[in-house]
Amino acid sequence: MGKDVIVACDFSGRKETLEFLGELEGLNPFIKIGMELFYREGPQMVRELKEKGYRIFLDLKLHDIPNTVEKAMTALASLNVDMCNVHAAGGRTMMEAALRGLGSGVGKRPLLIAVTQLTSTSQEQMERELLIERPMKEVVASYGRNALKAGLDGVVCSPLEAPGVHEMCGKGFLTVTPGVRFAGDSKGDQKRVTDPAGAAALGSDYIVVGRSITGASHPRKAYERCIADFTGLKDR
Ligand code: C5P
């Protein structure tokens, strides 16, 4: 796996998702299934998209006691997705348990990454509500180090924190970065954002893009522009 754009399929159901993916036909996008679609359609939706050949990041952000997370990950392991995640705030023991559960499947273990601070969280909110008073970059890099020590493959963070994570955890430790917008697009609920080329310059390994593609008037063009801006490739 190399640098790629992951399209967040945040749709309310199967029909809307398949219609959207029809617009990207032939482009073989790496897609993300999150809570909205998974809770609505269940694991069958994942199986169906896997059978169609999509690479899938199953973004369920597990965060519970280690025993529960290990068993939940054991259940998810049977779906043979390509990437899964947990919250780093669950701690190292929980992340190690997640890794054990995910490794219990028959196929290749999916990549396991840890959410650091959500890209919708600002420095001010983190200080005021979570009582974490260190700079965001330091907090994210430190969560990254915990994830690395637990044996995970990388983190979810904003592109702005990718350099600090790579410095702390090495270039091979993946930074999967939501919070990406084309210049001029609405930020929505995201706080720590950059555009695709900016994310590439900061060393992001994967960008996760939802509304800038799914909400565009021409999603196919928006996806192709994203790939071109992020990977520097004009044709695929
Ligand atoms: O529409 P937008 O591009 O903001 O979508 C970003 C996607 O990435 C959403 O599906 C969101 O759940 C996910 N995500 C995020 N921040 C994280 C982890 C995941 O925005 N830290």
Side-chain angles (χ1 to χ4, degrees), residues 8 10 32 59 61 115 118-119 156 178 181 190 208-211:
D10 294 324
K32 181 177 91 68
D59 177 23
K61 300 187 181 69
V115 177
L118 294 170
T119 40
V156 185
R181 294 284 182 270
Q190 299 283 18
V208 178
V209 187
R211 288 163 285 185

Side-chain angles (χ1 to χ4, degrees), residues 38-113:
F38 191 80
Y39 290 154
R40 175 86 55 184
E41 301 289 351
Q44 187 47 37
M45 184 81 226
V46 179
R47 290 191 198 100
E48 180 178 349
L49 293 171
K50 206 60 216 166
E51 269 163 30
K52 289 182 191 287
Y54 290 103
R55 289 160 296 154
I56 297 179
F57 168 20
L58 187 57
D59 177 23
L60 299 180
K61 300 187 181 69
L62 276 66
H63 188 177
D64 207 320
I65 58 171
N67 183 54
T68 301
V69 168
E70 179 169 352
K71 291 190 172 140
M73 278 297 182
T74 303
L76 295 181
S78 68
L79 295 174
N80 289 318
V81 295
D82 300 275
M83 192 184 278
C84 274
N85 62 358
V86 291
H87 267 286
R92 269 175 65 185
T93 317
M94 188 208 76
M95 290 192 268
E96 285 161 4
L99 202 55
R100 274 196 304 280
L102 204 56
S104 66
V106 283
K108 187 168 173 260
R109 174 179 69 73
L111 293 169
L112 182 61
I113 56 174

Side-chain angles (χ1 to χ4, degrees), residues 34-219:
M35 295 182 207
E36 182 181 1
L37 190 56
F38 191 80
Y39 290 154
R40 175 86 55 184
E41 301 289 351
Q44 187 47 37
M45 184 81 226
V46 179
R47 290 191 198 100
E48 180 178 349
L49 293 171
K50 206 60 216 166
E51 269 163 30
K52 289 182 191 287
Y54 290 103
R55 289 160 296 154
I56 297 179
F57 168 20
L58 187 57
D59 177 23
L60 299 180
K61 300 187 181 69
L62 276 66
H63 188 177
D64 207 320
I65 58 171
N67 183 54
T68 301
V69 168
E70 179 169 352
K71 291 190 172 140
M73 278 297 182
T74 303
L76 295 181
S78 68
L79 295 174
N80 289 318
V81 295
D82 300 275
M83 192 184 278
C84 274
N85 62 358
V86 291
H87 267 286
R92 269 175 65 185
T93 317
M94 188 208 76
M95 290 192 268
E96 285 161 4
L99 202 55
R100 274 196 304 280
L102 204 56
S104 66
V106 283
K108 187 168 173 260
R109 174 179 69 73
L111 293 169
L112 182 61
I113 56 174
V115 177
T116 53
Q117 284 292 338
L118 294 170
T119 40
S120 53
T121 303
S122 66
Q123 175 76 38
E124 196 227 341
Q125 237 178 332
M126 189 175 72
E127 289 178 16
R128 191 167 29 86
E129 296 175 20
L130 308 179
L131 307 185
I132 300 174
E133 292 181 348
R134 308 288 274 266
M136 182 66 78
K137 283 184 185 164
E138 209 179 301
V139 174
V140 169
S142 156
Y143 282 21
R145 191 180 46 205
N146 290 341
L148 178 69
K149 283 189 182 157
L152 271 62
D153 303 295
V155 287
V156 185
C157 60
S158 131
L160 304 171
E161 291 114 30
V165 170
H166 282 141
E167 201 176 301
M168 173 85 83
C169 306
K171 287 265 176 269
F173 193 66
L174 299 174
T175 51
V176 178
T177 66
V180 175
R181 294 284 182 270
F182 290 122
D185 280 1
S186 156
K187 277 192 189 179
D189 52 354
Q190 299 283 18
K191 301 269 168 53
R192 310 192 319 273
V193 301
T194 51
D195 64 13
L202 290 163
S204 292
D205 296 292
Y206 293 90
I207 51 173
V208 178
V209 187
R211 288 163 285 185
S212 278
I213 295 176
T214 56
S217 43
H218 295 286

